CSV table of all heavy atoms in Angstrom, one decimal:
chain,number,residue,atom,x,y,z
D,1,TYR,N,0.8,-1.2,0.0
D,1,TYR,CA,0.0,0.0,0.0
D,1,TYR,C,0.9,1.3,0.0
D,1,TYR,O,1.8,1.4,0.8
D,1,TYR,CB,-0.9,0.0,1.2
D,1,TYR,CG,-2.0,1.0,1.3
D,1,TYR,CD1,-3.1,0.9,0.6
D,1,TYR,CD2,-1.8,2.1,2.2
D,1,TYR,CE1,-4.1,1.9,0.6
D,1,TYR,CE2,-2.8,3.1,2.2
D,1,TYR,CZ,-3.9,3.0,1.5
D,1,TYR,OH,-4.9,4.0,1.5
D,2,ARG,N,0.6,2.2,-0.9
D,2,ARG,CA,1.2,3.5,-1.0
D,2,ARG,C,2.7,3.4,-1.5
D,2,ARG,O,3.4,4.4,-1.4
D,2,ARG,CB,1.3,4.2,0.4
D,2,ARG,CG,-0.1,4.7,0.8
D,2,ARG,CD,-0.4,5.9,0.0
D,2,ARG,NE,-1.6,6.6,0.5
D,2,ARG,CZ,-2.2,7.7,0.0
D,2,ARG,NH1,-1.8,8.1,-1.2
D,2,ARG,NH2,-3.3,8.2,0.5
D,3,LEU,N,3.0,2.3,-2.1
D,3,LEU,CA,4.4,2.2,-2.7
D,3,LEU,C,4.3,2.6,-4.2
D,3,LEU,O,4.0,1.8,-5.0
D,3,LEU,CB,4.9,0.8,-2.6
D,3,LEU,CG,6.3,0.5,-3.1
D,3,LEU,CD1,7.3,1.5,-2.5
D,3,LEU,CD2,6.8,-0.9,-2.9
D,4,SER,N,4.4,3.9,-4.5
D,4,SER,CA,4.2,4.4,-5.8
D,4,SER,C,5.3,3.8,-6.8
D,4,SER,O,6.4,3.7,-6.4
D,4,SER,CB,4.3,5.9,-5.8
D,4,SER,OG,4.4,6.4,-7.1
D,5,LYS,N,4.8,3.6,-8.0
D,5,LYS,CA,5.8,3.1,-9.0
D,5,LYS,C,6.8,4.1,-9.4
D,5,LYS,O,7.8,3.8,-10.0
D,5,LYS,CB,5.0,2.6,-10.3
D,5,LYS,CG,4.3,3.7,-11.0
D,5,LYS,CD,3.4,3.1,-12.1
D,5,LYS,CE,2.6,4.2,-12.8
D,5,LYS,NZ,1.7,3.6,-13.8
D,6,PHE,N,6.6,5.4,-9.0
D,6,PHE,CA,7.5,6.4,-9.4
D,6,PHE,C,8.6,6.6,-8.3
D,6,PHE,O,9.5,7.3,-8.4
D,6,PHE,CB,6.8,7.8,-9.6
D,6,PHE,CG,5.8,7.7,-10.7
D,6,PHE,CD1,4.5,7.7,-10.5
D,6,PHE,CD2,6.3,7.6,-12.0
D,6,PHE,CE1,3.6,7.6,-11.6
D,6,PHE,CE2,5.4,7.6,-13.1
D,6,PHE,CZ,4.1,7.6,-12.9
D,7,THR,N,8.4,6.0,-7.1
D,7,THR,CA,9.3,6.2,-6.0
D,7,THR,C,9.9,4.9,-5.5
D,7,THR,O,10.7,4.9,-4.6
D,7,THR,CB,8.6,6.8,-4.8
D,7,THR,OG1,7.5,5.9,-4.3
D,7,THR,CG2,8.0,8.2,-5.1
D,8,ARG,N,9.6,3.8,-6.2
D,8,ARG,CA,10.3,2.5,-5.8
D,8,ARG,C,11.8,2.6,-6.0
D,8,ARG,O,12.2,3.0,-7.1
D,8,ARG,CB,9.7,1.3,-6.6
D,8,ARG,CG,8.2,1.1,-6.2
D,8,ARG,CD,7.5,0.1,-7.1
D,8,ARG,NE,6.1,0.0,-6.8
D,8,ARG,CZ,5.2,-0.4,-7.6
D,8,ARG,NH1,5.5,-0.9,-8.8
D,8,ARG,NH2,3.9,-0.5,-7.3
D,9,GLN,N,12.5,2.1,-5.0
D,9,GLN,CA,14.0,2.1,-5.2
D,9,GLN,C,14.5,0.9,-5.9
D,9,GLN,O,13.9,-0.2,-5.7
D,9,GLN,CB,14.6,2.2,-3.8
D,9,GLN,CG,14.2,3.5,-3.0
D,9,GLN,CD,14.6,4.7,-3.8
D,9,GLN,OE1,15.8,4.9,-4.2
D,9,GLN,NE2,13.7,5.7,-3.9
D,10,GLY,N,15.6,1.0,-6.6
D,10,GLY,CA,16.1,-0.1,-7.3
D,10,GLY,C,16.7,-1.2,-6.3
D,10,GLY,O,17.2,-0.8,-5.3
D,11,ASP,N,16.5,-2.5,-6.7
D,11,ASP,CA,17.0,-3.5,-5.8
D,11,ASP,C,17.4,-4.7,-6.7
D,11,ASP,O,17.6,-4.5,-7.9
D,11,ASP,CB,16.0,-4.0,-4.8
D,11,ASP,CG,14.7,-4.3,-5.4
D,11,ASP,OD1,14.6,-4.7,-6.5
D,11,ASP,OD2,13.7,-4.2,-4.7
D,12,PHE,N,17.6,-5.9,-6.1
D,12,PHE,CA,18.2,-7.0,-6.8
D,12,PHE,C,17.4,-7.3,-8.1
D,12,PHE,O,17.9,-7.7,-9.1
D,12,PHE,CB,18.3,-8.2,-5.9
D,12,PHE,CG,19.0,-9.4,-6.5
D,12,PHE,CD1,20.3,-9.2,-6.8
D,12,PHE,CD2,18.4,-10.6,-6.7
D,12,PHE,CE1,21.0,-10.3,-7.4
D,12,PHE,CE2,19.1,-11.7,-7.2
D,12,PHE,CZ,20.4,-11.5,-7.5
D,13,GLU,N,16.0,-7.2,-8.0
D,13,GLU,CA,15.2,-7.5,-9.1
D,13,GLU,C,14.2,-6.3,-9.2
D,13,GLU,O,13.0,-6.5,-9.2
D,13,GLU,CB,14.4,-8.8,-8.9
D,13,GLU,CG,15.3,-10.0,-9.2
D,13,GLU,CD,14.5,-11.3,-9.2
D,13,GLU,OE1,13.2,-11.2,-9.0
D,13,GLU,OE2,15.0,-12.4,-9.4
D,14,SER,N,14.7,-5.1,-9.4
D,14,SER,CA,13.9,-3.9,-9.4
D,14,SER,C,13.0,-4.0,-10.6
D,14,SER,O,13.3,-4.4,-11.7
D,14,SER,CB,14.8,-2.7,-9.5
D,14,SER,OG,13.9,-1.6,-9.7
D,15,ASP,N,11.7,-3.7,-10.4
D,15,ASP,CA,10.7,-3.7,-11.5
D,15,ASP,C,10.7,-2.4,-12.3
D,15,ASP,O,10.2,-2.4,-13.4
D,15,ASP,CB,9.3,-4.0,-10.9
D,15,ASP,CG,8.9,-3.0,-9.8
D,15,ASP,OD1,9.8,-2.4,-9.2
D,15,ASP,OD2,7.7,-2.8,-9.6
D,16,HIS,N,11.2,-1.3,-11.7
D,16,HIS,CA,11.2,0.0,-12.4
D,16,HIS,C,12.5,0.6,-12.4
D,16,HIS,O,12.6,1.9,-12.4
D,16,HIS,CB,10.1,0.9,-11.8
D,16,HIS,CG,8.7,0.5,-12.2
D,16,HIS,ND1,8.2,0.8,-13.5
D,16,HIS,CD2,7.7,-0.1,-11.5
D,16,HIS,CE1,6.9,0.3,-13.6
D,16,HIS,NE2,6.6,-0.2,-12.4
D,17,SER,N,13.6,-0.2,-12.3
D,17,SER,CA,14.9,0.4,-12.2
D,17,SER,C,15.3,1.2,-13.5
D,17,SER,O,16.0,2.2,-13.4
D,17,SER,CB,16.0,-0.7,-12.0
D,17,SER,OG,15.9,-1.6,-13.1
D,18,GLY,N,14.7,0.8,-14.6
D,18,GLY,CA,14.9,1.6,-15.8
D,18,GLY,C,13.7,2.4,-16.3
D,18,GLY,O,13.5,2.7,-17.4
D,19,TYR,N,12.8,2.6,-15.3
D,19,TYR,CA,11.5,3.3,-15.7
D,19,TYR,C,11.7,4.7,-16.1
D,19,TYR,O,12.5,5.5,-15.5
D,19,TYR,CB,10.6,3.3,-14.5
D,19,TYR,CG,9.2,3.9,-14.8
D,19,TYR,CD1,8.2,3.1,-15.4
D,19,TYR,CD2,8.9,5.2,-14.5
D,19,TYR,CE1,7.0,3.7,-15.7
D,19,TYR,CE2,7.7,5.7,-14.8
D,19,TYR,CZ,6.7,5.0,-15.4
D,19,TYR,OH,5.5,5.5,-15.7
D,20,VAL,N,11.1,5.1,-17.2
D,20,VAL,CA,11.2,6.5,-17.7
D,20,VAL,C,9.8,7.0,-17.7
D,20,VAL,O,8.9,6.4,-18.3
D,20,VAL,CB,11.8,6.5,-19.1
D,20,VAL,CG1,11.8,8.0,-19.6
D,20,VAL,CG2,13.2,6.0,-19.1
D,21,ARG,N,9.6,8.2,-17.1
D,21,ARG,CA,8.2,8.8,-17.0
D,21,ARG,C,7.7,9.0,-18.4
D,21,ARG,O,8.4,9.5,-19.3
D,21,ARG,CB,8.3,10.1,-16.3
D,21,ARG,CG,6.9,10.7,-16.0
D,21,ARG,CD,6.2,10.1,-14.8
D,21,ARG,NE,5.0,10.7,-14.5
D,21,ARG,CZ,4.8,11.8,-13.7
D,21,ARG,NH1,5.9,12.4,-13.2
D,21,ARG,NH2,3.6,12.3,-13.5
D,22,PRO,N,6.5,8.5,-18.8
D,22,PRO,CA,6.0,8.7,-20.1
D,22,PRO,C,5.9,10.1,-20.6
D,22,PRO,O,5.8,11.1,-19.7
D,22,PRO,CB,4.5,8.1,-20.0
D,22,PRO,CG,4.6,7.2,-18.8
D,22,PRO,CD,5.5,7.9,-17.9
D,23,LEU,N,6.0,10.4,-21.9
D,23,LEU,CA,5.9,11.7,-22.4
D,23,LEU,C,4.5,12.2,-22.2
D,23,LEU,O,3.5,11.4,-21.9
D,23,LEU,CB,6.1,11.7,-23.9
D,23,LEU,CG,7.6,11.3,-24.3
D,23,LEU,CD1,7.7,11.1,-25.9
D,23,LEU,CD2,8.6,12.4,-23.9
D,24,PRO,N,4.3,13.5,-22.1
D,24,PRO,CA,2.9,14.1,-21.8
D,24,PRO,C,1.9,13.9,-22.9
D,24,PRO,O,1.6,14.8,-23.7
D,24,PRO,CB,3.2,15.6,-21.6
D,24,PRO,CG,4.5,15.8,-22.4
D,24,PRO,CD,5.3,14.6,-22.3
D,25,VAL,N,1.5,12.6,-23.1
D,25,VAL,CA,0.4,12.3,-24.0
D,25,VAL,C,-0.9,12.1,-23.2
D,25,VAL,O,-0.9,12.3,-22.0
D,25,VAL,CB,0.8,10.9,-24.7
D,25,VAL,CG1,2.0,11.1,-25.5
D,25,VAL,CG2,0.9,9.8,-23.7
D,26,PRO,N,-2.0,11.9,-23.9
D,26,PRO,CA,-3.3,11.8,-23.2
D,26,PRO,C,-3.2,10.9,-22.0
D,26,PRO,O,-2.6,9.8,-22.1
D,26,PRO,CB,-4.2,11.3,-24.2
D,26,PRO,CG,-3.7,11.9,-25.5
D,26,PRO,CD,-2.2,11.8,-25.4
D,27,ARG,N,-3.7,11.3,-20.9
D,27,ARG,CA,-3.6,10.5,-19.6
D,27,ARG,C,-4.1,9.1,-19.7
D,27,ARG,O,-3.6,8.2,-19.0
D,27,ARG,CB,-4.3,11.3,-18.5
D,27,ARG,CG,-3.9,10.8,-17.1
D,27,ARG,CD,-4.6,11.7,-16.0
D,27,ARG,NE,-4.2,11.3,-14.7
D,27,ARG,CZ,-3.1,11.7,-14.1
D,27,ARG,NH1,-2.2,12.4,-14.8
D,27,ARG,NH2,-2.8,11.3,-12.9
D,28,SER,N,-5.0,8.9,-20.6
D,28,SER,CA,-5.6,7.5,-20.7
D,28,SER,C,-4.6,6.6,-21.4
D,28,SER,O,-4.8,5.4,-21.4
D,28,SER,CB,-6.9,7.6,-21.6
D,28,SER,OG,-6.6,8.1,-22.9
D,29,LEU,N,-3.5,7.1,-21.9
D,29,LEU,CA,-2.5,6.2,-22.6
D,29,LEU,C,-1.2,6.1,-21.9
D,29,LEU,O,-0.4,5.2,-22.2
D,29,LEU,CB,-2.3,6.7,-24.0
D,29,LEU,CG,-3.5,6.8,-25.0
D,29,LEU,CD1,-3.0,7.4,-26.3
D,29,LEU,CD2,-4.0,5.4,-25.2
D,30,ASN,N,-0.9,7.0,-20.9
D,30,ASN,CA,0.5,7.0,-20.4
D,30,ASN,C,0.6,6.3,-19.1
D,30,ASN,O,1.7,6.3,-18.5
D,30,ASN,CB,1.0,8.4,-20.3
D,30,ASN,CG,0.2,9.3,-19.3
D,30,ASN,OD1,-0.5,8.7,-18.5
D,30,ASN,ND2,0.5,10.5,-19.3
D,31,SER,N,-0.4,5.7,-18.5
D,31,SER,CA,-0.3,4.9,-17.3
D,31,SER,C,0.2,5.7,-16.1
D,31,SER,O,1.0,5.3,-15.3
D,31,SER,CB,0.6,3.7,-17.5
D,31,SER,OG,0.5,2.8,-16.3
D,32,ASP,N,-0.3,7.0,-16.0
D,32,ASP,CA,0.0,7.8,-14.8
D,32,ASP,C,-1.2,7.8,-13.9
D,32,ASP,O,-1.2,8.7,-13.0
D,32,ASP,CB,0.3,9.2,-15.3
D,32,ASP,CG,1.8,9.4,-15.6
D,32,ASP,OD1,2.5,8.4,-15.5
D,32,ASP,OD2,2.2,10.5,-15.9
D,33,ILE,N,-2.2,7.0,-14.1
D,33,ILE,CA,-3.4,7.0,-13.3
D,33,ILE,C,-3.1,6.8,-11.8
D,33,ILE,O,-3.4,7.6,-11.0
D,33,ILE,CB,-4.4,6.0,-13.7
D,33,ILE,CG1,-4.8,6.2,-15.2
D,33,ILE,CG2,-5.6,6.0,-12.9
D,33,ILE,CD1,-5.7,5.1,-15.8
D,34,SER,N,-2.3,5.7,-11.5
D,34,SER,CA,-2.1,5.4,-10.1
D,34,SER,C,-0.8,6.1,-9.6
D,34,SER,O,0.1,5.5,-9.2
D,34,SER,CB,-2.0,3.9,-9.9
D,34,SER,OG,-1.9,3.5,-8.6
D,35,TYR,N,-0.8,7.4,-9.6
D,35,TYR,CA,0.4,8.2,-9.3
D,35,TYR,C,0.9,7.9,-7.9
D,35,TYR,O,2.1,7.9,-7.7
D,35,TYR,CB,0.1,9.7,-9.5
D,35,TYR,CG,1.3,10.5,-9.4
D,35,TYR,CD1,2.2,10.8,-10.5
D,35,TYR,CD2,1.7,11.1,-8.2
D,35,TYR,CE1,3.3,11.5,-10.4
D,35,TYR,CE2,2.8,11.9,-8.0
D,35,TYR,CZ,3.6,12.1,-9.1
D,35,TYR,OH,4.7,12.9,-9.0
D,36,PHE,N,0.0,7.8,-7.0
D,36,PHE,CA,0.4,7.6,-5.6
D,36,PHE,C,0.5,6.1,-5.2
D,36,PHE,O,0.7,5.8,-4.0
D,36,PHE,CB,-0.5,8.3,-4.6
D,36,PHE,CG,-0.5,9.8,-4.9
D,36,PHE,CD1,-1.6,10.4,-5.4
D,36,PHE,CD2,0.6,10.6,-4.6
D,36,PHE,CE1,-1.7,11.8,-5.6
D,36,PHE,CE2,0.6,11.9,-4.8
D,36,PHE,CZ,-0.5,12.6,-5.3
D,37,GLY,N,0.4,5.2,-6.1
D,37,GLY,CA,0.5,3.8,-5.8
D,37,GLY,C,-0.5,3.3,-4.8
D,37,GLY,O,-0.3,2.3,-4.1
D,38,VAL,N,-1.7,3.9,-4.8
D,38,VAL,CA,-2.7,3.4,-3.9
D,38,VAL,C,-4.0,3.1,-4.6
D,38,VAL,O,-4.8,2.2,-4.2
D,38,VAL,CB,-3.1,4.5,-2.8
D,38,VAL,CG1,-3.6,5.7,-3.5
D,38,VAL,CG2,-4.0,4.0,-1.8
D,39,GLY,N,-4.2,3.6,-5.8
D,39,GLY,CA,-5.5,3.5,-6.5
D,39,GLY,C,-5.9,2.1,-6.8
D,39,GLY,O,-7.1,1.7,-6.7
D,40,GLY,N,-5.0,1.3,-7.3
D,40,GLY,CA,-5.3,-0.1,-7.7
D,40,GLY,C,-5.9,-0.9,-6.6
D,40,GLY,O,-7.0,-1.6,-6.8
D,41,LYS,N,-5.3,-0.8,-5.4
D,41,LYS,CA,-5.8,-1.6,-4.3
D,41,LYS,C,-7.2,-1.1,-3.8
D,41,LYS,O,-8.1,-1.8,-3.5
D,41,LYS,CB,-4.8,-1.6,-3.2
D,41,LYS,CG,-3.7,-2.7,-3.2
D,41,LYS,CD,-2.7,-2.3,-4.2
D,41,LYS,CE,-1.8,-1.2,-3.7
D,41,LYS,NZ,-0.7,-0.8,-4.7
D,42,GLN,N,-7.3,0.3,-3.8
D,42,GLN,CA,-8.5,0.8,-3.3
D,42,GLN,C,-9.6,0.6,-4.3
D,42,GLN,O,-10.8,0.3,-4.0
D,42,GLN,CB,-8.4,2.3,-3.1
D,42,GLN,CG,-7.7,2.7,-1.8
D,42,GLN,CD,-8.0,4.1,-1.3
D,42,GLN,OE1,-8.5,4.9,-2.1
D,42,GLN,NE2,-7.8,4.3,-0.1
D,43,ALA,N,-9.3,0.6,-5.6
D,43,ALA,CA,-10.3,0.3,-6.6
D,43,ALA,C,-10.8,-1.1,-6.5
D,43,ALA,O,-12.0,-1.4,-6.6
D,43,ALA,CB,-9.7,0.5,-8.0
D,44,VAL,N,-9.9,-2.1,-6.3
D,44,VAL,CA,-10.3,-3.5,-6.1
D,44,VAL,C,-11.3,-3.6,-5.0
D,44,VAL,O,-12.4,-4.2,-5.2
D,44,VAL,CB,-9.1,-4.3,-5.8
D,44,VAL,CG1,-9.5,-5.7,-5.3
D,44,VAL,CG2,-8.3,-4.5,-7.1
D,45,PHE,N,-11.0,-3.0,-3.8
D,45,PHE,CA,-11.9,-3.2,-2.7
D,45,PHE,C,-13.1,-2.3,-2.7
D,45,PHE,O,-14.0,-2.4,-1.9
D,45,PHE,CB,-11.1,-3.1,-1.4
D,45,PHE,CG,-10.2,-4.3,-1.2
D,45,PHE,CD1,-8.8,-4.1,-1.4
D,45,PHE,CD2,-10.7,-5.6,-1.0
D,45,PHE,CE1,-7.9,-5.2,-1.2
D,45,PHE,CE2,-9.8,-6.6,-0.9
D,45,PHE,CZ,-8.4,-6.5,-1.0
D,46,PHE,N,-13.1,-1.3,-3.6
D,46,PHE,CA,-14.3,-0.5,-3.9
D,46,PHE,C,-15.3,-1.3,-4.7
D,46,PHE,O,-16.5,-1.4,-4.4
D,46,PHE,CB,-14.0,0.8,-4.6
D,46,PHE,CG,-15.2,1.6,-4.9
D,46,PHE,CD1,-15.9,2.3,-4.0
D,46,PHE,CD2,-15.7,1.6,-6.2
D,46,PHE,CE1,-17.0,3.1,-4.4
D,46,PHE,CE2,-16.8,2.3,-6.6
D,46,PHE,CZ,-17.5,3.0,-5.7
């Protein structure tokens, strides 16, 4: 909970160690929806 994909630190098997923030294209295409790393879990249980 609250572990944003933009703030995760690199580790042995980092999932976003090479992550580059998407270019400013329409929000529906750039996967910036869950900016704070909380929305997906809250959406599930909503």
Side-chain angles (χ1 to χ4, degrees):
Y1 188 77
R2 286 290 189 185
L3 181 56
S4 169
K5 65 186 176 187
F6 298 108
T7 60
R8 292 169 188 162
Q9 299 299 311
D11 53 28
F12 189 61
E13 283 186 0
S14 175
D15 53 337
H16 283 285
S17 58
Y19 183 82
V20 178
R21 187 80 179 271
L23 294 173
V25 297
R27 195 172 182 83
S28 60
L29 299 177
N30 67 10
S31 187
D32 272 1
I33 298 174
S34 188
Y35 186 86
F36 297 111
V38 64
K41 275 78 72 180
Q42 284 205 339
V44 163
F45 292 108
F46 174 78

